[in-house]
Amino acid sequence: MNSAEIVESFWHAVWNGRNPEAVDEFVVEDFVITNAGERIEGRENFKAWIAAFLEQVHDLELEIVETFQNHDGSRVASRWKVHGRNNGVLGTEPDGQPISFSGTAVWEVREDGKLLHNHVERASWELFRRLTSA
């Protein structure tokens, strides 16, 4: 399995499977996610972050737009869209309305295929504005 396939397997098992525990299969113990400049360090903290996010977006579905890797597979870039229902995402009122937002993730991948670091940017501001506009 190449690095792009590993990342896509991660998306399916963890996010679309709504299963933070599946993280254990994919990431190193000292995994780091940098999300909009904030670092979450350690696999257990990453799993807690995922569980909290899943609580805020009911019926979450991650749609993979495209995924590609560099020449040696040490970096993977993935564009995606999340769809679901609002249950308080971004501190908004949990009103159940349909939501959708896009994002980009750049992954660092170890030679054995384990995920080391994920740098994520997502369209949070745009989503917040849609959820809070009168």
Side-chain angles (χ1 to χ4, degrees):
M1 186 178 306
N2 68 33
S3 296
E5 292 169 335
I6 291 166
V7 166
E8 288 191 355
S9 293
F10 171 87
W11 292 136
H12 290 298
V14 175
W15 289 104
N16 287 336
R18 298 179 189 97
N19 183 9
E21 293 303 314
V23 161
D24 293 341
E25 180 182 335
F26 296 95
V27 309
V28 296
E29 184 68 35
D30 59 348
F31 180 81
V32 176
I33 181 171
T34 303
N35 178 55
E38 177 185 344
R39 287 174 59 97
I40 295 121
E41 299 183 17
R43 183 166 53 202
E44 294 304 313
N45 291 332
F46 182 43
K47 291 184 334 189
W49 180 81
I50 291 168
F53 195 82
L54 287 169
E55 280 298 313
Q56 296 172 3
V57 180
H58 283 177
D59 302 327
L60 184 142
E61 180 186 331
L62 187 137
E63 172 192 349
I64 300 166
V65 176
E66 69 176 326
T67 306
F68 50 92
Q69 67 184 48
N70 68 348
H71 68 286
D72 65 2
S74 64
R75 295 286 187 278
V76 173
S78 186
R79 292 190 317 116
W80 44 265
K81 291 181 183 175
V82 165
H83 310 281
R85 292 182 302 110
N86 179 30
N87 191 44
V89 70
L90 303 173
T92 62
E93 187 66 32
D95 56 14
Q97 71 176 293
I99 60 171
S100 182
F101 60 92
S102 61
T104 303
V106 177
W107 297 83
E108 295 176 29
V109 185
R110 199 165 68 184
E111 285 182 10
D112 65 359
K114 291 292 186 183
L115 304 174
L116 300 168
H117 197 133
N118 183 6
H119 305 267
V120 177
E121 295 295 333
R122 58 185 184 203
S124 298
W125 173 244
E126 293 80 2
L127 174 60
F128 181 79
R129 287 184 56 201
R130 283 194 302 274
L131 290 171
T132 58
S133 65

